[in-house]
Amino acid sequence: FVWFESLCLAMAICADMAAAEATLGTVPFKKVARRPTRGAARRATHIRALDQEQAERLRLLPLASSAMGVAAVVGNRLVDGATPTLVASSAQSRADVAAVLVAAVLGLTGLQWLSLKPKAPTVVDLDGVSVDYMGDKTKNTPAEREIRAMWDAVRAATRTDMMVVFWRGQCIAHLGYKRRNFTDRAQIGSLCRDSQERNVPRSLANLALFPGRFEFLAYLPSNTQSVHVQPLHPDGVVVLGTATQRSFTILDQAWIGTWCDKLCVALEDGAGTPSPE
């Protein structure tokens, strides 16, 4: 029965590794693209519920594996008819001790996982009004198509709720939400200019903690939770805002940077040039 115990321990370790990857990974729950339709919203809620249920089951795997290991040891002793004493010279006794130790480690891991559960991000209701502004020199140009394509992509794949594009010191697009009673065009601030000149993106994960938040809150909703600034070096910058803190992961930022590189080429080549009919 030693081989049977080894097989049970191997299965327990594999289950432990699989549960660790699924539960303690960088993305514990699948990020679902948001759509304005009610049917899509219901489907997204259903998928998130399934992901959460699956994660709860995976957290129980270490405890189940621990129980299987202990049961295998006890069952082996009962079926084999060996004496309950441990003898150092017996291979069976050494195997039982190793099995109990691994089962204890798995049990402690399971208890720890049950006590540590990821907290769902808090989404606030933005205190702003809808806006769909496109500059006169950008309308009906290839640049407008690229801006709207990027807006649709980041809104669907991330938690972005608003996007502002500055090009050569002017606001050429403001999509999503704006501050209430804000009637003027957005003005580029010092943080955005610094990001543009240095060609370094800036991610303000919790906007309320940064003194430079006021340059964004001048045209974004007053309760905007986080902002990501992506440069269009050397002539512009894109500002993305969300209603959730710490919304942009490292992968999101890299993906947004790729979109901005594409947008920068379109603005350099097609801004102000009407698209062919």
Side-chain angles (χ1 to χ4, degrees):
F1 289 92
V2 175
W3 67 269
F4 178 72
E5 290 183 4
S6 301
L7 180 61
C8 289
L9 289 176
M11 293 175 60
I13 293 174
C14 291
D16 189 15
M17 294 174 62
E21 181 179 358
T23 306
L24 303 180
T26 56
V27 185
F29 300 107
K30 181 179 179 182
K31 189 178 293 182
V32 181
R34 294 175 295 169
R35 293 290 187 271
T37 60
R38 294 183 178 179
R42 286 194 296 268
R43 288 194 298 271
T45 303
H46 178 65
I47 291 174
R48 281 193 290 268
L50 290 178
D51 289 338
Q52 186 173 5
E53 182 180 356
Q54 183 181 11
E56 293 291 341
R57 291 177 179 176
L58 288 175
R59 288 193 188 94
L60 294 175
L61 280 180
L63 283 177
S65 302
S66 175
M68 287 176 55
V70 174
V73 172
V74 175
N76 185 25
R77 284 283 181 174
L78 293 177
V79 174
D80 191 39
T83 59
T85 59
L86 295 177
V87 181
S89 61
S90 173
Q92 179 67 49
S93 298
R94 293 195 296 269
D96 290 345
V97 171
V100 171
L101 289 178
V102 174
V105 172
L106 289 175
L108 293 176
T109 302
L111 293 176
Q112 183 182 14
W113 284 11
L114 289 178
S115 63
L116 299 176
K117 295 183 179 180
K119 181 180 179 181
T122 302
V123 182
V124 302
D125 293 328
L126 292 173
D127 185 20
V129 295
S130 298
V131 61
D132 188 66
Y133 169 79
M134 194 67 61
D136 294 336
K137 294 183 179 181
T138 313
K139 290 182 179 179
N140 301 321
T141 65
E144 180 185 6
R145 291 201 303 270
E146 289 296 335
I147 291 174
R148 294 196 179 277
M150 178 179 175
W151 167 239
D152 292 337
V154 298
R155 182 177 53 174
T158 67
R159 297 182 179 273
T160 303
D161 294 292
M162 61 214 87
M163 183 176 81
V164 183
V165 181
F166 295 101
W167 184 251
R168 292 172 182 169
Q170 301 294 325
C171 175
I172 63 172
H174 190 162
L175 305 171
Y177 292 91
K178 67 176 182 179
R179 187 181 182 90
R180 290 186 181 275
N181 302 322
F182 180 75
T183 57
D184 197 5
R185 287 196 300 176
Q187 300 295 324
I188 188 170
S190 58
L191 286 178
C192 291
R193 289 189 183 276
D194 183 71
S195 176
Q196 172 186 327
E197 294 172 358
R198 299 189 180 200
N199 195 24
V200 176
R202 296 180 181 273
S203 185
L204 310 182
N206 188 353
L207 190 61
L209 302 180
F210 290 89
R213 66 185 180 275
F214 297 106
E215 75 171 75
F216 303 104
L217 297 182
Y219 51 87
L220 296 181
S222 58
N223 59 344
T224 300
Q225 297 297 297
S226 63
V227 165
H228 179 70
V229 180
Q230 187 69 38
L232 300 172
H233 186 73
D235 295 319
V237 68
V238 174
V239 177
L240 302 173
T242 74
T244 308
Q245 295 179 3
R246 302 172 184 87
S247 297
F248 300 103
T249 65
I250 296 178
L251 291 178
D252 290 338
Q253 296 175 28
W255 181 71
I256 291 170
T258 303
W259 263 106
C260 286
D261 292 340
K262 187 170 181 278
L263 176 60
C264 187
V265 174
L267 289 172
E268 289 177 346
D269 296 342
T273 305
S275 59
E277 296 295 337

